[in-house]
Amino acid sequence: MTDAVTYRSDVTVRLDDWMGDDAKVIRMAKASIKRTGGDMDSAAREGFINFLARERHGVPFEHAYGTFYIEAPLRVLRQMAKHRHTSISEWSGRYSVLEPVFFLADRDRHLVQAGKPGAYRFQPGSADQWLTYVWQTTAASEYAWRSYQAMLNAGIARELARDVLGVGIYTSAYVTLNARAMMHFLSLRTSGRDYATLTSHPQAEIELVADGIEAHLAAKLPAVHAAFEKYGRVAP
Ligand SMILES: Cc1cc2nc3c(=O)[nH]c(=O)nc-3n(C[C@H](O)[C@H](O)[C@H](O)COP(=O)(O)OP(=O)(O)OC[C@H]3O[C@@H](n4cnc5c(N)ncnc54)[C@H](O)[C@@H]3O)c2cc1C
């Protein structure tokens, strides 16, 4: 077991597996009239997907899905697990010894919260606040890791020893969700688009995960992603 605590401020979102394309979404929708849409040109396909998104015919989008390998702080995986249409298989701190990798924000991450619940704004923070953040976070992470090791060395079960590690420690998981659930996730976990119907205020690190997932959605289902953008980034 290593002693050296390391820090990350990024997340990993790697595409593990994908099923379905724009044509499949159309084929599932055309099932109702025993057609496939295979004879449609690209303009007709885009128009039909726009129709499905605009009229909120959501089920055809559920037939495409992706599996992502994600590395992120525990608190971010915790937020992902709130989305009930995700299937998550996570690294177990009960069955294996965790690794000493903790979250430490970069200097450009906003540090200070202002406003009220539901309408928080985040601001950069002063040099003193930055030093306090770095000192306290690194001191606590290193102390927590030493406590964890001391307990394991004393024969305490991993499932109990991990309690001291906090939510900044990195974990990993495979996360599977269908394209409809993906769009719902993106509507809640991305921000900064003034054309979006919903203004959400996600935490910065889950937004990094959402950005990674959105890039794969746009690459794999370009017409679906374009319709998501066109109709206000709301899941059909
Ligand atoms: C900015 C932000 C702040 C948040 N803060 C908090 C917080 O302080 N505390 C907290 O606990 N959570 C918080 N959450 C999580 C939030 O409450 C939701 O749990 C999470 O966003 C998942 O949303 P969802 O239920 O719409 O999505 P999913 O669970 O993915 O469900 C998708 C959709 O399926 C339908 N659905 C799913 N399950 C049911 C059901 N049982 N009954 C009826 N319809 C269902 C709904 O239409 C739902 O919108 C926050 C989320 C965001 C984006």
Side-chain angles (χ1 to χ4, degrees):
M1 199 189 322
T2 174
D3 277 334
V5 170
T6 57
Y7 296 96
R8 290 177 65 175
S9 60
D10 64 333
V11 301
T12 298
V13 180
R14 196 169 66 228
L15 184 64
D16 177 74
D17 197 13
W18 186 274
M19 186 177 83
D21 54 12
D22 289 333
K24 182 178 181 188
V25 173
I26 294 171
R27 199 163 73 248
M28 298 303 104
K30 295 272 183 188
S32 59
I33 52 169
K34 280 207 154 196
R35 300 273 293 275
T36 65
D39 53 345
M40 297 166 88
D41 63 20
S42 69
R45 283 200 300 271
E46 279 167 29
F48 188 69
I49 284 179
N50 281 340
F51 156 76
L52 294 176
R54 188 182 65 240
E55 302 297 320
R56 307 199 74 186
H57 294 295
V59 171
F61 298 95
E62 297 173 12
H63 291 274
Y65 68 76
T67 299
F68 303 94
Y69 171 75
I70 294 176
E71 290 175 3
L74 192 56
R75 63 175 157 81
V76 174
L77 253 296
R78 178 76 190 85
Q79 291 171 336
M80 291 205 72
K82 295 288 297 200
H83 294 264
R84 289 161 286 183
H85 298 285
T86 52
S87 304
I88 301 179
S89 295
E90 189 178 1
W91 185 24
S92 169
R94 189 179 189 204
Y95 302 131
S96 52
V97 175
L98 297 174
E99 290 168 5
V101 182
F102 290 83
F103 182 79
L104 184 68
D106 289 334
R107 181 63 184 100
D108 58 1
R109 164 61 154 101
H110 288 183
L111 291 179
V112 178
Q113 180 176 301
K116 54 184 183 187
Y120 287 127
R121 284 170 287 108
F122 289 85
Q123 296 158 355
S126 65
D128 277 354
Q129 284 170 321
W130 171 250
L131 286 177
T132 300
Y133 165 74
V134 171
W135 164 251
Q136 294 295 346
T137 303
T138 55
S141 300
E142 280 158 39
Y143 188 84
W145 185 252
R146 284 199 303 277
S147 298
Y148 177 65
Q149 285 183 309
M151 281 194 270
L152 296 183
N153 290 337
I156 309 290
R158 291 180 291 258
E159 67 180 23
L160 283 175
R162 65 179 169 177
D163 284 1
V164 297
L165 290 172
V167 293
I169 193 160
Y170 272 69
T171 184
S172 62
Y174 289 91
V175 178
T176 298
L177 62 175
N178 66 51
R180 188 184 194 183
M182 232 175 270
M183 288 185 271
H184 186 69
F185 176 75
L186 295 177
S187 74
L188 289 167
R189 303 298 185 172
T190 58
S191 65
R193 277 91 163 177
D194 56 11
Y195 54 91
T197 304
L198 170 73
T199 304
S200 194
H201 301 282
Q203 195 166 341
E205 289 72 37
I206 195 165
E207 190 162 13
L208 291 178
V209 173
D211 289 343
I213 289 176
E214 182 158 5
H216 291 296
L217 176 71
K220 293 292 184 183
L221 301 180
V224 168
H225 182 257
F228 174 62
E229 287 273 273
K230 186 177 168 90
Y231 295 108
R233 297 177 65 82
V234 174

